[in-house]
Amino acid sequence: METPETMSIKSINNREIDDEQRLTFREKLAGTLAGFNGTIHSQMIAVFLLFFYTDVMEVSLAYVAGLILVARIIGAISAPIFGIIVDRTTTPWGKFVPWYLILGVPIAIFGWLTFTDFNLSPSAELVYITVTFVIYSILVASLQAPAAAVGPAITKRIDDRISMGQIGYFLVMLAAIFISTGVQPLYKLFGGGDDAQGFSILMGLIGVLCVSLSLFQVTSLKEKYVVNLNKKEDRPSIKVLLKAVFTNKAAIIVYIYVFSINMANGIRSAVMIHYFKYYFNFESLMVLFGIVSLVPTILGVMLSSKVTKRIGLKMNVLACAIVSVLSMASVMFIPNTTFGIVMFLVTSVIASLFLGFASPAQGAMLPAAMDYTEWKSGINVNGFMGSLQGFMQTLSTALAGSIAATGLAFVGYVPGIEQSDETIFGLKMLMGLLPSIVIAFTVCVAFFDLTEEKQAKISKELAERRRQGASNN
C-alpha cells in the first residue's frame, strides 16, 4: 500500500513540468560515475598511501603524518574556492560536466606520480612526495564540486535521484571493493616482488580507466537546470553564499554526517592492513573482507528503495548509523583467533547490509538540501554546496590519515617486525573504539526534516519559478 508521501512524489513527478522526461540509464550511469572515479583515488589514498610511504618508500612515520594532514587540509580549503569558480564559470560544453575531463586527466597523472618511486635521494624524495601529493589532494578534492552539482542540473525528479543514488552507491561500492580486494594482489602481481613497481603500474592503468570513464560522462550528459552567473552583478558575495548554505539545517546535517562517516572509515581504512597483518597474522584477509562484504552490500542496495519507502529516508540512514557504531565498537571484543576472524567478518556483513540499505538514501540528501537552499534563498549555488561536501570529505580524510599515522607512531608500531602487546592493543583502538566514537555523530541525521513529501513540494515550486522566469524573458 502506498503512503501519502510516495503518492505525492508520483503525482508531482508525473505533472507536465520541465523535468517530466525521465533520465535514461546511460544518463544515470554517466551522472554517477564521478563517484566511482573519486572513490578509486580517495580510497587509494586512505587505504594504501600510508603503507606505500612507510613500508615501500620507507619514509618516516612522523613526516608522513604531517604531510597527509597538511596536504589534505590544503585540498580541503581549495575545494570551496574551486566550487565558487565552478558556479561562476560557464563553458560552451556546459557548466559542470566538462570539469569531469578537465580535472580527470591531471588527477590520473598525479595519482600515478604519487604512487611511483623514482629512487631519489632522501631529501629529493621528501620534496617529490610533498609536491605530488599536495597537487593530487587538491585535484581530488576539487572534483567534488562538479560531481555533486551535476545531479540537480540534469534532473529534478525524486525518483530519478533515488535511482541515481542506487547506481551511484553501487559504483562507489565496486570501487571500494576493488581497492580492498584487488589492489593488494595486483600490485604484487605487477611488481613481481618489487612492490614499488607494482604500485606504479597499477596506478597507471587506473588512470587510463578513469580518464576513459570521464570521456563517457562528458559525451553522455546534458545539463537542463543551471543558473549561469556570468554577469558580475548576478554573482552572490561570499557572505551571501555562506548565509544561504549555513542557514539550511539540512545542509549542516549532511556535512556533519559526511565528515563523521568519512573520518571514521578513513581511520579504519588507513590501519586495516596493519590490523590484519599483525593482529590476525593474515594480511590477505583484506581480500576476503572485501569479498564477504560485497554480497550483502549489493543485496542492501537492491532492496534500498523498498526499505526507504517503508520506513522513510531518515529512519533508513539513522538505522545504518546505529549499526555502524556497534559494528566498529565490537572490534575491541574480537579475539585474534580463527573464531575472531569469523566474528569480524559476520559483523562486517551485517554492517554492509545496512550500509547497502541506506547509501542510496544518503546520496539523495545533498541534492534535497541544494534544492531547499535555492527554494529558500532564491540563488542556485550547487557547485559551492558540492564543494563544501568535498571540503568535509577531504578534511575528514586528512585528519583520519594523520590520526592513523600519529596513532601508529604513538603505539610503537615499527614496520616489518613482530609487534608488542601494547602496539596490538593500540591497533585495536584505532580499528574499533576511536572510529566508533567518531561515527556516532552520524546520528545527527535524526534531525533531517526534508521529508519525501516536502522535497516533492519544493521541486514543484522550483519548476513553477522556472516557468515564470522563462515567460518573463
Side-chain angles (χ1 to χ4, degrees):
M1 181 176 178
E2 292 184 321
T3 64
E5 290 83 359
T6 57
M7 291 175 65
S8 175
I9 292 170
K10 286 185 177 181
S11 64
I12 291 171
N13 277 329
N14 290 330
R15 287 180 182 272
E16 294 182 357
I17 57 177
D18 295 345
D19 52 346
E20 178 187 1
Q21 185 69 38
R22 295 196 65 176
L23 296 179
T24 64
F25 177 77
R26 179 189 177 100
E27 289 173 314
K28 292 176 183 177
L29 178 63
T32 53
L33 272 172
F36 179 88
N37 287 356
T39 300
I40 288 285
H41 291 286
S42 63
Q43 284 297 296
M44 280 300 300
I45 293 172
V47 179
F48 287 103
L49 187 69
L50 179 59
F51 177 78
F52 180 76
Y53 279 164
T54 58
D55 287 46
V56 177
M57 296 187 72
E58 298 182 351
V59 181
S60 72
L61 265 173
Y63 189 84
V64 172
L67 172 61
I68 291 176
L69 179 62
V70 172
R72 298 299 273 168
I73 287 178
I74 291 173
I77 293 172
S78 68
I81 297 173
F82 185 74
I84 296 173
I85 294 173
V86 169
D87 274 330
R88 295 182 176 183
T89 304
T90 302
T91 75
W93 306 278
K95 189 175 184 67
F96 305 118
V97 173
W99 291 104
Y100 286 148
L101 194 57
I102 295 171
L103 293 173
V105 173
I107 286 175
I109 293 171
F110 279 92
W112 173 73
L113 290 173
T114 296
F115 282 92
T116 297
D117 183 4
F118 288 103
N119 296 314
L120 304 172
S121 66
S123 57
E125 186 172 72
L126 293 182
V127 173
Y128 173 79
I129 68 171
T130 300
V131 172
T132 54
F133 183 52
V134 167
I135 296 175
Y136 187 35
S137 295
I138 292 172
L139 292 169
V140 172
S142 298
L143 183 62
Q144 288 293 326
V150 161
I154 62 176
T155 183
K156 296 297 183 184
R157 295 180 63 105
I158 299 171
D159 52 357
D160 272 346
R161 289 179 178 179
I162 295 295
S163 179
M164 287 179 66
Q166 289 178 296
I167 296 170
Y169 181 69
F170 183 74
L171 292 172
V172 166
M173 178 193 65
L174 284 181
I177 294 299
F178 167 72
I179 297 301
S180 62
T181 63
V183 169
Q184 196 264 350
L186 284 175
Y187 80 71
K188 293 288 186 183
L189 174 65
F190 294 148
D194 183 347
D195 288 349
Q197 176 180 291
F199 270 108
S200 182
I201 293 173
L202 178 60
M203 283 303 292
L205 294 174
I206 286 174
V208 171
L209 171 64
C210 290
V211 170
S212 300
L213 295 177
S214 297
L215 278 169
F216 172 76
Q217 290 178 281
V218 299
T219 56
S220 302
L221 292 173
K222 181 180 179 181
E223 299 170 15
K224 305 172 186 176
Y225 312 108
V226 295
V227 178
N228 295 322
L229 304 177
N230 297 323
K231 297 180 180 179
K232 187 173 181 180
E233 59 268 22
D234 293 335
R235 301 172 182 176
S237 65
I238 300 297
K239 182 179 179 180
V240 171
L241 287 175
L242 293 174
K243 182 179 180 181
V245 175
F246 289 104
T247 55
N248 181 349
K249 183 177 74 172
I252 294 173
I253 290 171
V254 171
Y255 295 143
I256 293 174
Y257 183 92
V258 167
F259 182 87
S260 302
I261 198 168
N262 278 277
M263 174 175 269
N265 288 330
I267 295 172
R268 281 171 61 91
S269 296
V271 301
M272 188 171 289
I273 192 169
H274 305 85
Y275 175 72
F276 290 157
K277 183 175 181 179
Y278 297 105
Y279 186 65
F280 289 124
N281 297 311
F282 189 9
E283 184 176 349
S284 296
L285 186 58
M286 281 285 292
V287 178
L288 182 60
F289 167 74
I291 292 172
V292 300
S293 300
L294 178 61
V295 174
T297 307
I298 292 176
L299 179 62
V301 171
M302 291 172 61
L303 297 174
S304 61
S305 60
K306 294 182 179 180
V307 173
T308 300
K309 285 181 180 180
R310 181 170 290 273
I311 67 175
L313 183 149
K314 180 170 71 174
M315 291 305 299
N316 188 356
V317 179
L318 183 59
C320 174
I322 294 171
V323 171
S324 296
V325 172
L326 297 176
S327 174
M328 291 182 182
S330 69
V331 168
M332 300 304 299
F333 307 99
I334 293 176
N336 58 343
T337 61
T338 301
F339 177 70
I341 292 176
V342 173
M343 288 179 61
F344 181 85
L345 294 177
V346 168
T347 57
S348 298
V349 164
I350 296 171
S352 297
L353 179 64
F354 276 82
L355 187 61
F357 290 152
S359 290
Q362 297 169 12
M365 290 169 64
L366 185 60
M370 288 176 172
D371 280 351
Y372 181 79
T373 295
E374 183 180 354
W375 175 73
K376 181 180 178 182
S377 66
I379 59 175
N380 183 304
V381 289
N382 292 355
F384 182 64
M385 292 186 69
S387 69
L388 285 178
Q389 177 170 283
F391 172 82
M392 292 299 176
Q393 289 178 329
T394 307
L395 179 62
S396 60
T397 54
L399 294 174
S402 182
I403 288 170
T406 303
L408 287 175
F410 181 76
V411 301
Y413 170 75
V414 179
I417 68 170
E418 184 177 351
Q419 308 300 319
S420 67
D421 291 341
E422 290 78 11
T423 300
I424 294 298
F425 181 76
L427 281 174
K428 291 176 66 176
M429 293 281 287
L430 290 170
M431 268 291 292
L433 183 61
L434 182 58
S436 69
I437 294 172
V438 174
I439 207 168
F441 286 93
T442 59
V443 299
C444 68
V445 77
F447 301 100
F448 189 85
D449 57 4
L450 290 181
T451 63
E452 289 86 339
E453 185 177 18
K454 189 171 183 179
Q455 290 179 48
K457 178 183 176 182
I458 289 172
S459 294
K460 177 186 175 183
E461 293 190 14
L462 288 176
E464 181 62 29
R465 291 181 190 178
R466 286 194 298 274
R467 279 202 300 270
Q468 292 178 358
S471 62
N472 291 337
N473 293 330

